Amino acid sequence: MSDRIEQLADQMTLEEQVSILSGEDFWSLPAIARLGIGKLRVSDGPNGARGGGSLIGGVRSACFPAGIALGATWNVDLLQDIGVALAEEVKSKSAHMLLAPTVNIHRSVTNGRNFECYSEDPILSADLAVAYISGLQSQGVGATIKHFVGNESEIERTTMSSQIDERALREIYLIPFEWAVKKAQTWGVMSSYNRLNGTFTSEHNWLLTTVLRDEWGYDGIVMSDWFGSHSTVETVNAGLDLEMPGPPRDRGQKLVDAVRSGAVTQATLRKRVIAMLRLMERAGSLDDHRPFEEHANDRPEHRALIRRAGAEAAVLLKNKGVLPLKGDGSIAVIGPNAKIAQIMGGGSAQLNAHYRVSPWEGLLKAVGEDRLRYAPGCTNHRFEPVLRGPFTAEYFANETLSGAPVHTEIQDDAQAFWIGHVGGGKVDPLHFSARISGTFTPEHSGAHRVGIYAAGFAKVFVDGKLIADAATNWTKGHTFFEEGCDEVVGVAQLEAGRAHQVVIEFVTKDFGSLGLAAFAAGIGLPLGDKDITEAVRAARDADTAIVFVGRNGEWDTEGSDLPSIELPGRQNELVAAIANANPNTIVVLQTGGPVEMPWIGSVAALIQAWYPGQEAGNAIADVLSGVQEPSGRLPQTFPVRWADNPAHSQDHEVYPGFEGKVRYEESIFVGYRHYDRLGLTPLFPFGFGLGYTSFALSDMVVHDAGFEADGDVAVGVTVTNTGQRAGSTVVQFYVSDDASSDPRPAKELKAFAKVSLDAGETADVTVKLDARAFAFYRERARHWLVEDGSFTLRAGLSSADLPLSAQLTRKTTLMLPV
């Protein structure tokens, strides 16, 4: 700690000290001009640095692949490069910290936020998080790893208590955070919304002080998730340094009073202040007095990195010789995700991307328009397509739409997410009304569906007639982080080519947990049997059919879990019909996790492309055409059906939660550990992925001279590219405890290495394992334990393909501290 920090803390008044322990507004802390302390600013991540604050609109930003896509790369070097690039993005938004990475574990396949997280496995998540944080902080931008801890579902997440035993916490859920602290020295940790075993994580002394600071030696700051602080004295005393956002709800004068009364001691307050000043010094905000400016820097090198990462994330799950695309035959491009670029999930990770490349656009550049024919087939949206503008928005400084508007502006489309600065700053952001007016000109005549959902009271009028009413009987639903209602849909007969008048009326309402106002309005014309028939005709007439299906950010989103893992709408029907019409059917799947695939036996090839960022279409076309190798490997097990997942249960307390509790009954048996335990064969195992070449492993060598003394082992294998072209693979190393006194998984991933080789090339790969790789957490004694007896090391290319093994033995036990 520098002398300057100590001196500043000593010079600050009580009120000044308290002021930097909460936000001034949604994205920044207050400056202290008297002492020359600049304003610390943060920006949402993790797949970009959002400009403008709001989730909708704002200054444009580069959109990188989603977390699960980065997890599928299994490439720590790539994650470090992305961290460096994101630091540049953060700086372009005049910010000092990125609210990222997200490392919660894929406990349930239905978690709406899985797309934002890396994996079901703690070691894969931890390794990638360390690389991401290291890259980011190497450029002087702080990371804020989140959400600490137990936020594995979006259902009632602001109040739900995650009931997790300590062994599962230590062995699964805490590992990415522990590595971020010990190996990457992260500057920030964000507490989760939920309770952990009955106590809000933002005021959980065992979590924030005993584990994080005392055991791990953490010297960074802990900030609340937005509106995730619920008390004054309890949060400060437990170890929460920063309440966000501002203006403060639990701090400010309340904290001043608590210090003066002795409920919070001067010593405790000073710890929080010192932590904040240390962060400001590290991130450079102490002396940053530049005017706030945001820039949309569309950097060519970031475009190239995003495109490369998107292609590397693609996982080839099946290929009967049809990929990469060959010759100059005709291609039918089919499906709801073909001409719409699904680049990211929904929620706080979303941003206003510089551009979006759709798969259709990518294929146009790759193979030329003459070879392509398009048919949508069906839709997959959760809500009616948002109306595109321009729209005129009139704001009223009341909740009755009365009098003259106090501010008028133009917006791009019929949606808004209002936080902080609203209506030109002329209205109270939680108490106002607005009228949004524009037109909609349909391409076809017919009965159109008009939808509206809102965190507030909203109505849609078409040509002066009320069509959709989300005000009169407003009921809380699953939109806008559970602050909004579910979509209300009406029907309007519209005429092709005619500009129909559309007016949306919006009035704020009292919020539950998160202080925001928002709405989205859309109009769509349903597709039917004739559209599937047209798609089948296009497929039958083509040499190859590529079907682009999946979900989008309406389904894979913060604030809402998935109702199932079936493809939405009629997509399963569409894929089956296309496969029946054309034996060379390729499916490109874009989702934030697994789906059930009743058609898997009928298609010739399958690629999981996730949400690969703004270069989506180019990255996908690179893989389809063979310009890039699909070198991704699954970071999450794909079950045959949802019921096979470890969190699926007839007991609602196990999932989705009951009476405020969600019980992690499976404990340490998450992901592939669960399938191994029950002998279930998944659709595709953890770590699986094909390529355009092949690899063989041989000659496993174990160096265990130090195993008895300190638990250290080095394991090596030889990797050979046995195919006809260059490519890459991921060598995975698993550990099994052959006879443990406590139940342990059949095997656990403990190390991995991504290897790129030319055709016929051979390389030796060696990884090092420390004692923790062989230990389990003994909850009764509160230490890690490596027992005496035999262990088996396995190496292979997925959790179900481990051809090499070796056994090693200990004569004594080894106890390791927490």
Side-chain angles (χ1 to χ4, degrees), residues 60-125:
R60 293 187 181 274
S61 306
C63 183
F64 287 75
I68 196 171
L70 297 181
T73 70
W74 291 63
N75 188 336
V76 292
D77 293 334
L78 176 65
L79 268 286
Q80 181 144 354
D81 290 344
I82 287 174
V84 170
L86 285 171
E88 294 178 309
E89 292 292 318
V90 173
K91 291 176 182 179
S92 75
K93 302 303 184 285
S94 287
H96 307 95
M97 291 194 78
L98 190 66
L99 305 180
T102 310
V103 295
N104 296 104
I105 298 297
H106 298 162
R107 175 185 181 241
S108 168
V109 290
T110 53
N111 178 21
R113 212 168 181 177
N114 277 348
F115 76 90
E116 196 176 318
C117 312
Y118 295 135
S119 176
E120 70 183 30
D121 184 81
I123 299 301
L124 176 57
S125 297

Side-chain angles (χ1 to χ4, degrees), residues 287-456:
D287 300 309
D288 188 354
H289 304 292
R290 296 169 298 167
F292 176 66
E293 294 179 343
E294 292 187 316
H295 301 283
N297 294 336
D298 185 6
R299 297 174 173 88
E301 64 272 24
H302 290 186
R303 287 185 170 211
L305 178 60
I306 292 167
R307 183 169 181 166
R308 174 165 66 92
E312 190 165 343
V315 185
L316 182 62
L317 294 172
K318 183 177 181 179
N319 187 17
K320 294 175 67 176
V322 295
L323 287 175
L325 295 171
K326 304 173 183 67
D328 57 0
S330 59
I331 302 171
V333 180
I334 295 165
N337 284 358
K339 283 194 172 182
I340 299 177
Q342 304 296 357
I343 68 172
M344 59 188 169
S348 61
Q350 69 190 49
L351 48 78
N352 190 17
H354 290 305
Y355 56 86
R356 299 167 176 246
V357 180
S358 71
W360 172 262
E361 292 167 325
L363 284 169
L364 282 179
K365 298 173 190 174
V367 305
E369 189 171 8
D370 292 345
R371 293 177 59 187
L372 304 179
R373 180 179 175 184
Y374 167 72
C378 67
T379 62
N380 66 354
H381 53 251
R382 180 180 176 189
F383 310 118
E384 296 306 316
V386 171
L387 287 168
R388 303 305 172 186
F391 283 83
T392 300
E394 299 173 303
Y395 292 85
F396 301 84
N398 54 66
E399 295 178 303
T400 57
L401 293 156
S402 57
V406 297
H407 178 74
T408 301
E409 63 187 28
I410 303 298
Q411 60 187 59
D412 293 337
D413 44 35
Q415 61 178 338
F417 190 90
W418 290 300
I419 50 176
H421 189 82
V422 178
K426 297 178 181 178
V427 301
D428 181 335
L430 297 178
H431 300 282
F432 70 93
S433 54
R435 181 178 292 113
I436 297 91
S437 305
T439 63
F440 172 68
T441 304
E443 295 182 9
H444 305 282
S445 297
H448 286 66
R449 289 167 54 88
V450 180
I452 181 76
Y453 55 99

Side-chain angles (χ1 to χ4, degrees), residues 736-740 744 746 789-794 806-809:
S736 301
D737 188 342
D738 297 335
S740 174
R744 297 193 69 177
S790 64
F791 296 82
T792 300
L793 302 178
R794 293 181 169 86
Q807 197 172 67
L808 58 164
T809 303

Side-chain angles (χ1 to χ4, degrees), residues 74-207:
W74 291 63
N75 188 336
V76 292
D77 293 334
L78 176 65
L79 268 286
Q80 181 144 354
D81 290 344
I82 287 174
V84 170
L86 285 171
E88 294 178 309
E89 292 292 318
V90 173
K91 291 176 182 179
S92 75
K93 302 303 184 285
S94 287
H96 307 95
M97 291 194 78
L98 190 66
L99 305 180
T102 310
V103 295
N104 296 104
I105 298 297
H106 298 162
R107 175 185 181 241
S108 168
V109 290
T110 53
N111 178 21
R113 212 168 181 177
N114 277 348
F115 76 90
E116 196 176 318
C117 312
Y118 295 135
S119 176
E120 70 183 30
D121 184 81
I123 299 301
L124 176 57
S125 297
D127 255 339
L128 296 177
V130 166
Y132 181 107
I133 293 167
S134 298
L136 189 68
Q137 294 187 169
S138 72
Q139 305 303 303
V141 171
T144 316
I145 192 168
K146 59 186 186 181
H147 303 88
F148 192 56
V149 65
N151 179 197
E152 276 72 42
S153 170
E154 293 299 287
I155 296 173
E156 298 179 16
R157 62 176 178 156
T158 59
T159 56
M160 189 70 76
S161 178
S162 297
Q163 305 296 113
I164 313 174
D165 64 83
E166 187 177 350
R167 185 180 175 195
L169 282 168
R170 298 281 190 176
E171 294 189 21
I172 305 292
Y173 299 100
L174 290 176
I175 293 289
F177 297 97
E178 182 181 4
W179 284 31
V181 170
K182 293 181 176 179
K183 298 186 178 187
Q185 290 80 51
T186 185
W187 298 349
V189 171
M190 181 186 290
S191 62
S192 54
Y193 281 122
N194 54 278
R195 304 171 194 258
L196 175 65
N197 297 324
T199 302
F200 281 113
T201 61
S202 58
E203 54 192 55
H204 205 297
N205 186 76
W206 177 83
L207 187 65

Side-chain angles (χ1 to χ4, degrees), residues 458-527:
K459 298 178 179 179
V460 184
F461 299 84
V462 179
D463 295 332
K465 182 180 179 181
L466 177 61
I467 302 298
D469 183 352
T472 304
N473 295 303
W474 192 96
T475 303
K476 181 180 178 180
H478 302 87
T479 64
F480 296 121
F481 313 114
E482 296 188 313
E483 291 288 344
C485 62
D486 291 330
E487 187 180 36
V488 176
V489 177
V491 176
Q493 291 289 336
L494 304 181
E495 182 182 333
R498 176 187 165 192
H500 294 268
Q501 294 295 317
V502 178
V503 175
I504 298 115
E505 292 183 349
F506 178 90
V507 177
T508 55
K509 64 175 292 296
D510 292 340
F511 62 90
S513 300
L514 310 180
L516 60 88
F519 82 92
I523 297 180
L525 185 65
L527 300 182

